[in-house]
mmCIF file with all atom_site columns, all heavy atoms in Angstrom:
data_model
loop_
_atom_site.group_PDB
_atom_site.id
_atom_site.type_symbol
_atom_site.label_atom_id
_atom_site.label_alt_id
_atom_site.label_comp_id
_atom_site.label_asym_id
_atom_site.label_entity_id
_atom_site.label_seq_id
_atom_site.pdbx_PDB_ins_code
_atom_site.Cartn_x
_atom_site.Cartn_y
_atom_site.Cartn_z
_atom_site.occupancy
_atom_site.B_iso_or_equiv
_atom_site.pdbx_formal_charge
_atom_site.auth_seq_id
_atom_site.auth_comp_id
_atom_site.auth_asym_id
_atom_site.auth_atom_id
_atom_site.pdbx_PDB_model_num
ATOM 1   N N   . ARG A 1 1  ? 16.041 -18.403 30.022 1.00 96.00 ? 1  ARG A N   1
ATOM 2   C CA  . ARG A 1 1  ? 16.632 -18.442 31.370 1.00 96.00 ? 1  ARG A CA  1
ATOM 3   C C   . ARG A 1 1  ? 16.137 -19.660 32.149 1.00 96.00 ? 1  ARG A C   1
ATOM 4   O O   . ARG A 1 1  ? 16.840 -20.155 33.032 1.00 96.00 ? 1  ARG A O   1
ATOM 5   C CB  . ARG A 1 1  ? 16.312 -17.152 32.128 1.00 96.00 ? 1  ARG A CB  1
ATOM 6   C CG  . ARG A 1 1  ? 17.083 -15.946 31.622 1.00 96.00 ? 1  ARG A CG  1
ATOM 7   C CD  . ARG A 1 1  ? 16.838 -14.719 32.458 1.00 96.00 ? 1  ARG A CD  1
ATOM 8   N NE  . ARG A 1 1  ? 17.218 -14.912 33.863 1.00 96.00 ? 1  ARG A NE  1
ATOM 9   C CZ  . ARG A 1 1  ? 17.166 -13.947 34.771 1.00 96.00 ? 1  ARG A CZ  1
ATOM 10  N NH1 . ARG A 1 1  ? 16.769 -12.730 34.438 1.00 96.00 ? 1  ARG A NH1 1
ATOM 11  N NH2 . ARG A 1 1  ? 17.511 -14.179 36.017 1.00 96.00 ? 1  ARG A NH2 1
ATOM 12  N N   . LEU A 1 2  ? 14.934 -20.130 31.824 1.00 96.00 ? 2  LEU A N   1
ATOM 13  C CA  . LEU A 1 2  ? 14.391 -21.322 32.475 1.00 96.00 ? 2  LEU A CA  1
ATOM 14  C C   . LEU A 1 2  ? 14.870 -22.615 31.811 1.00 96.00 ? 2  LEU A C   1
ATOM 15  O O   . LEU A 1 2  ? 14.422 -23.698 32.184 1.00 96.00 ? 2  LEU A O   1
ATOM 16  C CB  . LEU A 1 2  ? 12.864 -21.274 32.459 1.00 96.00 ? 2  LEU A CB  1
ATOM 17  C CG  . LEU A 1 2  ? 12.192 -20.246 33.383 1.00 96.00 ? 2  LEU A CG  1
ATOM 18  C CD1 . LEU A 1 2  ? 10.716 -20.104 33.052 1.00 96.00 ? 2  LEU A CD1 1
ATOM 19  C CD2 . LEU A 1 2  ? 12.380 -20.637 34.851 1.00 96.00 ? 2  LEU A CD2 1
ATOM 20  N N   . LYS A 1 3  ? 15.751 -22.480 30.822 1.00 96.00 ? 3  LYS A N   1
ATOM 21  C CA  . LYS A 1 3  ? 16.282 -23.643 30.085 1.00 96.00 ? 3  LYS A CA  1
ATOM 22  C C   . LYS A 1 3  ? 15.185 -24.366 29.297 1.00 96.00 ? 3  LYS A C   1
ATOM 23  O O   . LYS A 1 3  ? 15.276 -25.561 29.054 1.00 96.00 ? 3  LYS A O   1
ATOM 24  C CB  . LYS A 1 3  ? 16.976 -24.635 31.029 1.00 96.00 ? 3  LYS A CB  1
ATOM 25  C CG  . LYS A 1 3  ? 17.992 -24.005 31.974 1.00 96.00 ? 3  LYS A CG  1
ATOM 26  C CD  . LYS A 1 3  ? 19.122 -23.334 31.223 1.00 96.00 ? 3  LYS A CD  1
ATOM 27  C CE  . LYS A 1 3  ? 20.167 -22.770 32.192 1.00 96.00 ? 3  LYS A CE  1
ATOM 28  N NZ  . LYS A 1 3  ? 21.224 -21.986 31.492 1.00 96.00 ? 3  LYS A NZ  1
ATOM 29  N N   . ARG A 1 4  ? 14.167 -23.636 28.882 1.00 96.00 ? 4  ARG A N   1
ATOM 30  C CA  . ARG A 1 4  ? 13.085 -24.207 28.066 1.00 96.00 ? 4  ARG A CA  1
ATOM 31  C C   . ARG A 1 4  ? 13.258 -23.677 26.644 1.00 96.00 ? 4  ARG A C   1
ATOM 32  O O   . ARG A 1 4  ? 12.533 -22.808 26.176 1.00 96.00 ? 4  ARG A O   1
ATOM 33  C CB  . ARG A 1 4  ? 11.731 -23.833 28.672 1.00 96.00 ? 4  ARG A CB  1
ATOM 34  C CG  . ARG A 1 4  ? 11.509 -24.503 30.019 1.00 96.00 ? 4  ARG A CG  1
ATOM 35  C CD  . ARG A 1 4  ? 10.482 -23.803 30.908 1.00 96.00 ? 4  ARG A CD  1
ATOM 36  N NE  . ARG A 1 4  ? 9.145  -23.794 30.353 1.00 96.00 ? 4  ARG A NE  1
ATOM 37  C CZ  . ARG A 1 4  ? 8.081  -23.318 31.001 1.00 96.00 ? 4  ARG A CZ  1
ATOM 38  N NH1 . ARG A 1 4  ? 8.233  -22.852 32.246 1.00 96.00 ? 4  ARG A NH1 1
ATOM 39  N NH2 . ARG A 1 4  ? 6.900  -23.310 30.439 1.00 96.00 ? 4  ARG A NH2 1
ATOM 40  N N   . GLU A 1 5  ? 14.271 -24.204 25.971 1.00 95.00 ? 5  GLU A N   1
ATOM 41  C CA  . GLU A 1 5  ? 14.745 -23.618 24.715 1.00 95.00 ? 5  GLU A CA  1
ATOM 42  C C   . GLU A 1 5  ? 13.725 -23.707 23.588 1.00 95.00 ? 5  GLU A C   1
ATOM 43  O O   . GLU A 1 5  ? 13.591 -22.769 22.790 1.00 95.00 ? 5  GLU A O   1
ATOM 44  C CB  . GLU A 1 5  ? 16.048 -24.293 24.288 1.00 95.00 ? 5  GLU A CB  1
ATOM 45  C CG  . GLU A 1 5  ? 16.732 -23.617 23.111 1.00 95.00 ? 5  GLU A CG  1
ATOM 46  C CD  . GLU A 1 5  ? 17.113 -22.164 23.384 1.00 95.00 ? 5  GLU A CD  1
ATOM 47  O OE1 . GLU A 1 5  ? 17.331 -21.800 24.568 1.00 95.00 ? 5  GLU A OE1 1
ATOM 48  O OE2 . GLU A 1 5  ? 17.169 -21.382 22.411 1.00 95.00 ? 5  GLU A OE2 1
ATOM 49  N N   . GLU A 1 6  ? 12.981 -24.805 23.495 1.00 96.00 ? 6  GLU A N   1
ATOM 50  C CA  . GLU A 1 6  ? 12.002 -24.916 22.419 1.00 96.00 ? 6  GLU A CA  1
ATOM 51  C C   . GLU A 1 6  ? 10.917 -23.853 22.553 1.00 96.00 ? 6  GLU A C   1
ATOM 52  O O   . GLU A 1 6  ? 10.499 -23.254 21.546 1.00 96.00 ? 6  GLU A O   1
ATOM 53  C CB  . GLU A 1 6  ? 11.393 -26.313 22.397 1.00 96.00 ? 6  GLU A CB  1
ATOM 54  C CG  . GLU A 1 6  ? 12.342 -27.386 21.884 1.00 96.00 ? 6  GLU A CG  1
ATOM 55  C CD  . GLU A 1 6  ? 11.641 -28.727 21.742 1.00 96.00 ? 6  GLU A CD  1
ATOM 56  O OE1 . GLU A 1 6  ? 10.477 -28.754 21.302 1.00 96.00 ? 6  GLU A OE1 1
ATOM 57  O OE2 . GLU A 1 6  ? 12.270 -29.748 22.071 1.00 96.00 ? 6  GLU A OE2 1
ATOM 58  N N   . GLU A 1 7  ? 10.478 -23.621 23.779 1.00 96.00 ? 7  GLU A N   1
ATOM 59  C CA  . GLU A 1 7  ? 9.468  -22.582 24.001 1.00 96.00 ? 7  GLU A CA  1
ATOM 60  C C   . GLU A 1 7  ? 10.053 -21.205 23.731 1.00 96.00 ? 7  GLU A C   1
ATOM 61  O O   . GLU A 1 7  ? 9.366  -20.313 23.204 1.00 96.00 ? 7  GLU A O   1
ATOM 62  C CB  . GLU A 1 7  ? 8.924  -22.690 25.421 1.00 96.00 ? 7  GLU A CB  1
ATOM 63  C CG  . GLU A 1 7  ? 8.058  -23.914 25.645 1.00 96.00 ? 7  GLU A CG  1
ATOM 64  C CD  . GLU A 1 7  ? 7.833  -24.200 27.120 1.00 96.00 ? 7  GLU A CD  1
ATOM 65  O OE1 . GLU A 1 7  ? 8.781  -24.647 27.795 1.00 96.00 ? 7  GLU A OE1 1
ATOM 66  O OE2 . GLU A 1 7  ? 6.700  -23.973 27.570 1.00 96.00 ? 7  GLU A OE2 1
ATOM 67  N N   . ALA A 1 8  ? 11.310 -21.009 24.082 1.00 96.00 ? 8  ALA A N   1
ATOM 68  C CA  . ALA A 1 8  ? 11.970 -19.734 23.799 1.00 96.00 ? 8  ALA A CA  1
ATOM 69  C C   . ALA A 1 8  ? 12.013 -19.479 22.297 1.00 96.00 ? 8  ALA A C   1
ATOM 70  O O   . ALA A 1 8  ? 11.672 -18.381 21.822 1.00 96.00 ? 8  ALA A O   1
ATOM 71  C CB  . ALA A 1 8  ? 13.380 -19.730 24.383 1.00 96.00 ? 8  ALA A CB  1
ATOM 72  N N   . GLN A 1 9  ? 12.408 -20.495 21.536 1.00 96.00 ? 9  GLN A N   1
ATOM 73  C CA  . GLN A 1 9  ? 12.484 -20.337 20.089 1.00 96.00 ? 9  GLN A CA  1
ATOM 74  C C   . GLN A 1 9  ? 11.104 -20.103 19.476 1.00 96.00 ? 9  GLN A C   1
ATOM 75  O O   . GLN A 1 9  ? 10.965 -19.350 18.505 1.00 96.00 ? 9  GLN A O   1
ATOM 76  C CB  . GLN A 1 9  ? 13.132 -21.578 19.465 1.00 96.00 ? 9  GLN A CB  1
ATOM 77  C CG  . GLN A 1 9  ? 14.617 -21.703 19.750 1.00 96.00 ? 9  GLN A CG  1
ATOM 78  C CD  . GLN A 1 9  ? 15.406 -20.508 19.241 1.00 96.00 ? 9  GLN A CD  1
ATOM 79  O OE1 . GLN A 1 9  ? 15.179 -20.017 18.139 1.00 96.00 ? 9  GLN A OE1 1
ATOM 80  N NE2 . GLN A 1 9  ? 16.340 -20.027 20.047 1.00 96.00 ? 9  GLN A NE2 1
ATOM 81  N N   . ARG A 1 10 ? 10.084 -20.722 20.050 1.00 97.00 ? 10 ARG A N   1
ATOM 82  C CA  . ARG A 1 10 ? 8.718  -20.504 19.569 1.00 97.00 ? 10 ARG A CA  1
ATOM 83  C C   . ARG A 1 10 ? 8.318  -19.034 19.729 1.00 97.00 ? 10 ARG A C   1
ATOM 84  O O   . ARG A 1 10 ? 7.737  -18.431 18.825 1.00 97.00 ? 10 ARG A O   1
ATOM 85  C CB  . ARG A 1 10 ? 7.743  -21.400 20.347 1.00 97.00 ? 10 ARG A CB  1
ATOM 86  C CG  . ARG A 1 10 ? 6.280  -21.261 19.914 1.00 97.00 ? 10 ARG A CG  1
ATOM 87  C CD  . ARG A 1 10 ? 5.375  -21.916 20.936 1.00 97.00 ? 10 ARG A CD  1
ATOM 88  N NE  . ARG A 1 10 ? 5.433  -21.228 22.219 1.00 97.00 ? 10 ARG A NE  1
ATOM 89  C CZ  . ARG A 1 10 ? 5.139  -21.779 23.399 1.00 97.00 ? 10 ARG A CZ  1
ATOM 90  N NH1 . ARG A 1 10 ? 4.800  -23.055 23.463 1.00 97.00 ? 10 ARG A NH1 1
ATOM 91  N NH2 . ARG A 1 10 ? 5.202  -21.074 24.503 1.00 97.00 ? 10 ARG A NH2 1
ATOM 92  N N   . GLU A 1 11 ? 8.642  -18.454 20.891 1.00 97.00 ? 11 GLU A N   1
ATOM 93  C CA  . GLU A 1 11 ? 8.296  -17.059 21.131 1.00 97.00 ? 11 GLU A CA  1
ATOM 94  C C   . GLU A 1 11 ? 9.107  -16.120 20.252 1.00 97.00 ? 11 GLU A C   1
ATOM 95  O O   . GLU A 1 11 ? 8.577  -15.133 19.719 1.00 97.00 ? 11 GLU A O   1
ATOM 96  C CB  . GLU A 1 11 ? 8.503  -16.711 22.614 1.00 97.00 ? 11 GLU A CB  1
ATOM 97  C CG  . GLU A 1 11 ? 7.578  -17.450 23.563 1.00 97.00 ? 11 GLU A CG  1
ATOM 98  C CD  . GLU A 1 11 ? 6.102  -17.157 23.346 1.00 97.00 ? 11 GLU A CD  1
ATOM 99  O OE1 . GLU A 1 11 ? 5.778  -16.060 22.828 1.00 97.00 ? 11 GLU A OE1 1
ATOM 100 O OE2 . GLU A 1 11 ? 5.272  -18.013 23.672 1.00 97.00 ? 11 GLU A OE2 1
ATOM 101 N N   . TYR A 1 12 ? 10.391 -16.397 20.086 1.00 97.00 ? 12 TYR A N   1
ATOM 102 C CA  . TYR A 1 12 ? 11.214 -15.561 19.206 1.00 97.00 ? 12 TYR A CA  1
ATOM 103 C C   . TYR A 1 12 ? 10.703 -15.621 17.768 1.00 97.00 ? 12 TYR A C   1
ATOM 104 O O   . TYR A 1 12 ? 10.678 -14.608 17.057 1.00 97.00 ? 12 TYR A O   1
ATOM 105 C CB  . TYR A 1 12 ? 12.674 -16.011 19.257 1.00 97.00 ? 12 TYR A CB  1
ATOM 106 C CG  . TYR A 1 12 ? 13.384 -15.694 20.553 1.00 97.00 ? 12 TYR A CG  1
ATOM 107 C CD1 . TYR A 1 12 ? 14.271 -16.610 21.124 1.00 97.00 ? 12 TYR A CD1 1
ATOM 108 C CD2 . TYR A 1 12 ? 13.190 -14.479 21.211 1.00 97.00 ? 12 TYR A CD2 1
ATOM 109 C CE1 . TYR A 1 12 ? 14.935 -16.323 22.309 1.00 97.00 ? 12 TYR A CE1 1
ATOM 110 C CE2 . TYR A 1 12 ? 13.840 -14.188 22.393 1.00 97.00 ? 12 TYR A CE2 1
ATOM 111 C CZ  . TYR A 1 12 ? 14.726 -15.121 22.940 1.00 97.00 ? 12 TYR A CZ  1
ATOM 112 O OH  . TYR A 1 12 ? 15.378 -14.827 24.115 1.00 97.00 ? 12 TYR A OH  1
ATOM 113 N N   . SER A 1 13 ? 10.306 -16.818 17.331 1.00 97.00 ? 13 SER A N   1
ATOM 114 C CA  . SER A 1 13 ? 9.769  -16.964 15.987 1.00 97.00 ? 13 SER A CA  1
ATOM 115 C C   . SER A 1 13 ? 8.468  -16.178 15.825 1.00 97.00 ? 13 SER A C   1
ATOM 116 O O   . SER A 1 13 ? 8.249  -15.520 14.792 1.00 97.00 ? 13 SER A O   1
ATOM 117 C CB  . SER A 1 13 ? 9.525  -18.447 15.693 1.00 97.00 ? 13 SER A CB  1
ATOM 118 O OG  . SER A 1 13 ? 8.955  -18.622 14.419 1.00 97.00 ? 13 SER A OG  1
ATOM 119 N N   . ALA A 1 14 ? 7.616  -16.218 16.854 1.00 97.00 ? 14 ALA A N   1
ATOM 120 C CA  . ALA A 1 14 ? 6.365  -15.454 16.808 1.00 97.00 ? 14 ALA A CA  1
ATOM 121 C C   . ALA A 1 14 ? 6.650  -13.958 16.750 1.00 97.00 ? 14 ALA A C   1
ATOM 122 O O   . ALA A 1 14 ? 5.979  -13.214 16.026 1.00 97.00 ? 14 ALA A O   1
ATOM 123 C CB  . ALA A 1 14 ? 5.513  -15.787 18.027 1.00 97.00 ? 14 ALA A CB  1
ATOM 124 N N   . ALA A 1 15 ? 7.659  -13.502 17.503 1.00 97.00 ? 15 ALA A N   1
ATOM 125 C CA  . ALA A 1 15 ? 8.036  -12.089 17.478 1.00 97.00 ? 15 ALA A CA  1
ATOM 126 C C   . ALA A 1 15 ? 8.473  -11.678 16.078 1.00 97.00 ? 15 ALA A C   1
ATOM 127 O O   . ALA A 1 15 ? 8.078  -10.618 15.563 1.00 97.00 ? 15 ALA A O   1
ATOM 128 C CB  . ALA A 1 15 ? 9.146  -11.823 18.482 1.00 97.00 ? 15 ALA A CB  1
ATOM 129 N N   . ARG A 1 16 ? 9.281  -12.524 15.434 1.00 97.00 ? 16 ARG A N   1
ATOM 130 C CA  . ARG A 1 16 ? 9.747  -12.212 14.079 1.00 97.00 ? 16 ARG A CA  1
ATOM 131 C C   . ARG A 1 16 ? 8.573  -12.128 13.098 1.00 97.00 ? 16 ARG A C   1
ATOM 132 O O   . ARG A 1 16 ? 8.543  -11.252 12.227 1.00 97.00 ? 16 ARG A O   1
ATOM 133 C CB  . ARG A 1 16 ? 10.737 -13.274 13.599 1.00 97.00 ? 16 ARG A CB  1
ATOM 134 C CG  . ARG A 1 16 ? 12.080 -13.214 14.292 1.00 97.00 ? 16 ARG A CG  1
ATOM 135 C CD  . ARG A 1 16 ? 13.081 -14.181 13.686 1.00 97.00 ? 16 ARG A CD  1
ATOM 136 N NE  . ARG A 1 16 ? 14.297 -14.204 14.480 1.00 97.00 ? 16 ARG A NE  1
ATOM 137 C CZ  . ARG A 1 16 ? 14.531 -15.047 15.480 1.00 97.00 ? 16 ARG A CZ  1
ATOM 138 N NH1 . ARG A 1 16 ? 13.619 -15.962 15.798 1.00 97.00 ? 16 ARG A NH1 1
ATOM 139 N NH2 . ARG A 1 16 ? 15.656 -14.977 16.164 1.00 97.00 ? 16 ARG A NH2 1
ATOM 140 N N   . GLN A 1 17 ? 7.632  -13.029 13.230 1.00 97.00 ? 17 GLN A N   1
ATOM 141 C CA  . GLN A 1 17 ? 6.483  -13.027 12.320 1.00 97.00 ? 17 GLN A CA  1
ATOM 142 C C   . GLN A 1 17 ? 5.682  -11.736 12.465 1.00 97.00 ? 17 GLN A C   1
ATOM 143 O O   . GLN A 1 17 ? 5.256  -11.141 11.471 1.00 97.00 ? 17 GLN A O   1
ATOM 144 C CB  . GLN A 1 17 ? 5.603  -14.245 12.586 1.00 97.00 ? 17 GLN A CB  1
ATOM 145 C CG  . GLN A 1 17 ? 6.232  -15.568 12.173 1.00 97.00 ? 17 GLN A CG  1
ATOM 146 C CD  . GLN A 1 17 ? 5.376  -16.762 12.562 1.00 97.00 ? 17 GLN A CD  1
ATOM 147 O OE1 . GLN A 1 17 ? 4.212  -16.619 12.915 1.00 97.00 ? 17 GLN A OE1 1
ATOM 148 N NE2 . GLN A 1 17 ? 5.963  -17.944 12.513 1.00 97.00 ? 17 GLN A NE2 1
ATOM 149 N N   . VAL A 1 18 ? 5.467  -11.301 13.711 1.00 97.00 ? 18 VAL A N   1
ATOM 150 C CA  . VAL A 1 18 ? 4.711  -10.060 13.942 1.00 97.00 ? 18 VAL A CA  1
ATOM 151 C C   . VAL A 1 18 ? 5.487  -8.870  13.397 1.00 97.00 ? 18 VAL A C   1
ATOM 152 O O   . VAL A 1 18 ? 4.917  -7.986  12.732 1.00 97.00 ? 18 VAL A O   1
ATOM 153 C CB  . VAL A 1 18 ? 4.412  -9.875  15.442 1.00 97.00 ? 18 VAL A CB  1
ATOM 154 C CG1 . VAL A 1 18 ? 3.721  -8.532  15.683 1.00 97.00 ? 18 VAL A CG1 1
ATOM 155 C CG2 . VAL A 1 18 ? 3.537  -11.007 15.965 1.00 97.00 ? 18 VAL A CG2 1
ATOM 156 N N   . ILE A 1 19 ? 6.793  -8.826  13.656 1.00 97.00 ? 19 ILE A N   1
ATOM 157 C CA  . ILE A 1 19 ? 7.624  -7.725  13.169 1.00 97.00 ? 19 ILE A CA  1
ATOM 158 C C   . ILE A 1 19 ? 7.575  -7.633  11.651 1.00 97.00 ? 19 ILE A C   1
ATOM 159 O O   . ILE A 1 19 ? 7.401  -6.549  11.077 1.00 97.00 ? 19 ILE A O   1
ATOM 160 C CB  . ILE A 1 19 ? 9.083  -7.903  13.652 1.00 97.00 ? 19 ILE A CB  1
ATOM 161 C CG1 . ILE A 1 19 ? 9.176  -7.660  15.162 1.00 97.00 ? 19 ILE A CG1 1
ATOM 162 C CG2 . ILE A 1 19 ? 10.027 -6.948  12.907 1.00 97.00 ? 19 ILE A CG2 1
ATOM 163 C CD1 . ILE A 1 19 ? 10.493 -8.104  15.775 1.00 97.00 ? 19 ILE A CD1 1
ATOM 164 N N   . GLU A 1 20 ? 7.722  -8.767  10.986 1.00 97.00 ? 20 GLU A N   1
ATOM 165 C CA  . GLU A 1 20 ? 7.733  -8.769  9.521  1.00 97.00 ? 20 GLU A CA  1
ATOM 166 C C   . GLU A 1 20 ? 6.372  -8.371  8.950  1.00 97.00 ? 20 GLU A C   1
ATOM 167 O O   . GLU A 1 20 ? 6.298  -7.665  7.930  1.00 97.00 ? 20 GLU A O   1
ATOM 168 C CB  . GLU A 1 20 ? 8.164  -10.145 9.016  1.00 97.00 ? 20 GLU A CB  1
ATOM 169 C CG  . GLU A 1 20 ? 9.647  -10.421 9.277  1.00 97.00 ? 20 GLU A CG  1
ATOM 170 C CD  . GLU A 1 20 ? 10.028 -11.879 9.077  1.00 97.00 ? 20 GLU A CD  1
ATOM 171 O OE1 . GLU A 1 20 ? 9.124  -12.695 8.763  1.00 97.00 ? 20 GLU A OE1 1
ATOM 172 O OE2 . GLU A 1 20 ? 11.214 -12.199 9.243  1.00 97.00 ? 20 GLU A OE2 1
ATOM 173 N N   . ALA A 1 21 ? 5.299  -8.799  9.598  1.00 97.00 ? 21 ALA A N   1
ATOM 174 C CA  . ALA A 1 21 ? 3.964  -8.407  9.142  1.00 97.00 ? 21 ALA A CA  1
ATOM 175 C C   . ALA A 1 21 ? 3.747  -6.909  9.321  1.00 97.00 ? 21 ALA A C   1
ATOM 176 O O   . ALA A 1 21 ? 3.176  -6.241  8.447  1.00 97.00 ? 21 ALA A O   1
ATOM 177 C CB  . ALA A 1 21 ? 2.900  -9.191  9.909  1.00 97.00 ? 21 ALA A CB  1
ATOM 178 N N   . LEU A 1 22 ? 4.203  -6.362  10.444 1.00 97.00 ? 22 LEU A N   1
ATOM 179 C CA  . LEU A 1 22 ? 4.077  -4.928  10.674 1.00 97.00 ? 22 LEU A CA  1
ATOM 180 C C   . LEU A 1 22 ? 4.911  -4.145  9.671  1.00 97.00 ? 22 LEU A C   1
ATOM 181 O O   . LEU A 1 22 ? 4.462  -3.130  9.126  1.00 97.00 ? 22 LEU A O   1
ATOM 182 C CB  . LEU A 1 22 ? 4.513  -4.586  12.101 1.00 97.00 ? 22 LEU A CB  1
ATOM 183 C CG  . LEU A 1 22 ? 3.571  -5.028  13.216 1.00 97.00 ? 22 LEU A CG  1
ATOM 184 C CD1 . LEU A 1 22 ? 4.231  -4.875  14.578 1.00 97.00 ? 22 LEU A CD1 1
ATOM 185 C CD2 . LEU A 1 22 ? 2.270  -4.239  13.171 1.00 97.00 ? 22 LEU A CD2 1
ATOM 186 N N   . ALA A 1 23 ? 6.127  -4.608  9.432  1.00 97.00 ? 23 ALA A N   1
ATOM 187 C CA  . ALA A 1 23 ? 7.006  -3.913  8.480  1.00 97.00 ? 23 ALA A CA  1
ATOM 188 C C   . ALA A 1 23 ? 6.378  -3.865  7.097  1.00 97.00 ? 23 ALA A C   1
ATOM 189 O O   . ALA A 1 23 ? 6.486  -2.860  6.382  1.00 97.00 ? 23 ALA A O   1
ATOM 190 C CB  . ALA A 1 23 ? 8.365  -4.603  8.424  1.00 97.00 ? 23 ALA A CB  1
ATOM 191 N N   . ALA A 1 24 ? 5.700  -4.929  6.714  1.00 96.00 ? 24 ALA A N   1
ATOM 192 C CA  . ALA A 1 24 ? 5.063  -4.980  5.398  1.00 96.00 ? 24 ALA A CA  1
ATOM 193 C C   . ALA A 1 24 ? 3.955  -3.940  5.259  1.00 96.00 ? 24 ALA A C   1
ATOM 194 O O   . ALA A 1 24 ? 3.571  -3.575  4.143  1.00 96.00 ? 24 ALA A O   1
ATOM 195 C CB  . ALA A 1 24 ? 4.509  -6.377  5.140  1.00 96.00 ? 24 ALA A CB  1
ATOM 196 N N   . SER A 1 25 ? 3.428  -3.455  6.381  1.00 95.00 ? 25 SER A N   1
ATOM 197 C CA  . SER A 1 25 ? 2.343  -2.470  6.349  1.00 95.00 ? 25 SER A CA  1
ATOM 198 C C   . SER A 1 25 ? 2.853  -1.032  6.351  1.00 95.00 ? 25 SER A C   1
ATOM 199 O O   . SER A 1 25 ? 2.058  -0.091  6.281  1.00 95.00 ? 25 SER A O   1
ATOM 200 C CB  . SER A 1 25 ? 1.415  -2.680  7.558  1.00 95.00 ? 25 SER A CB  1
ATOM 201 O OG  . SER A 1 25 ? 2.051  -2.258  8.755  1.00 95.00 ? 25 SER A OG  1
ATOM 202 N N   . ILE A 1 26 ? 4.171  -0.835  6.451  1.00 96.00 ? 26 ILE A N   1
ATOM 203 C CA  . ILE A 1 26 ? 4.753  0.514   6.509  1.00 96.00 ? 26 ILE A CA  1
ATOM 204 C C   . ILE A 1 26 ? 5.147  0.928   5.097  1.00 96.00 ? 26 ILE A C   1
ATOM 205 O O   . ILE A 1 26 ? 6.041  0.338   4.492  1.00 96.00 ? 26 ILE A O   1
ATOM 206 C CB  . ILE A 1 26 ? 5.980  0.542   7.446  1.00 96.00 ? 26 ILE A CB  1
ATOM 207 C CG1 . ILE A 1 26 ? 5.578  0.084   8.856  1.00 96.00 ? 26 ILE A CG1 1
ATOM 208 C CG2 . ILE A 1 26 ? 6.587  1.940   7.494  1.00 96.00 ? 26 ILE A CG2 1
ATOM 209 C CD1 . ILE A 1 26 ? 6.753  -0.157  9.780  1.00 96.00 ? 26 ILE A CD1 1
ATOM 210 N N   . ASP A 1 27 ? 4.510  1.959   4.573  1.00 95.00 ? 27 ASP A N   1
ATOM 211 C CA  . ASP A 1 27 ? 4.717  2.349   3.176  1.00 95.00 ? 27 ASP A CA  1
ATOM 212 C C   . ASP A 1 27 ? 6.070  3.028   2.946  1.00 95.00 ? 27 ASP A C   1
ATOM 213 O O   . ASP A 1 27 ? 6.728  2.777   1.934  1.00 95.00 ? 27 ASP A O   1
ATOM 214 C CB  . ASP A 1 27 ? 3.601  3.291   2.715  1.00 95.00 ? 27 ASP A CB  1
ATOM 215 C CG  . ASP A 1 27 ? 2.246  2.588   2.649  1.00 95.00 ? 27 ASP A CG  1
ATOM 216 O OD1 . ASP A 1 27 ? 2.233  1.366   2.414  1.00 95.00 ? 27 ASP A OD1 1
ATOM 217 O OD2 . ASP A 1 27 ? 1.219  3.253   2.853  1.00 95.00 ? 27 ASP A OD2 1
ATOM 218 N N   . GLU A 1 28 ? 6.472  3.901   3.858  1.00 96.00 ? 28 GLU A N   1
ATOM 219 C CA  . GLU A 1 28 ? 7.694  4.669   3.639  1.00 96.00 ? 28 GLU A CA  1
ATOM 220 C C   . GLU A 1 28 ? 8.923  3.790   3.848  1.00 96.00 ? 28 GLU A C   1
ATOM 221 O O   . GLU A 1 28 ? 9.110  3.205   4.920  1.00 96.00 ? 28 GLU A O   1
ATOM 222 C CB  . GLU A 1 28 ? 7.739  5.870   4.585  1.00 96.00 ? 28 GLU A CB  1
ATOM 223 C CG  . GLU A 1 28 ? 8.880  6.821   4.283  1.00 96.00 ? 28 GLU A CG  1
ATOM 224 C CD  . GLU A 1 28 ? 8.813  8.088   5.117  1.00 96.00 ? 28 GLU A CD  1
ATOM 225 O OE1 . GLU A 1 28 ? 7.684  8.534   5.421  1.00 96.00 ? 28 GLU A OE1 1
ATOM 226 O OE2 . GLU A 1 28 ? 9.880  8.614   5.456  1.00 96.00 ? 28 GLU A OE2 1
#
């Protein structure tokens, strides 16, 4: 919303990394 797209993409990428790491820890 602040038109700071590179920073936005950095945060979205970090979110994806955390999500994927958490998913890898779920056995079921």
Side-chain angles (χ1 to χ4, degrees):
R1 288 185 59 176
L2 289 168
K3 310 299 183 186
R4 293 158 64 175
E5 189 60 27
E6 287 186 40
E7 290 165 288
Q9 289 301 317
R10 181 193 65 204
E11 295 298 334
Y12 289 140
S13 178
R16 289 186 187 92
Q17 290 175 13
V18 176
I19 289 167
E20 289 167 358
L22 289 169
S25 72
I26 302 170
D27 293 331
E28 188 173 327

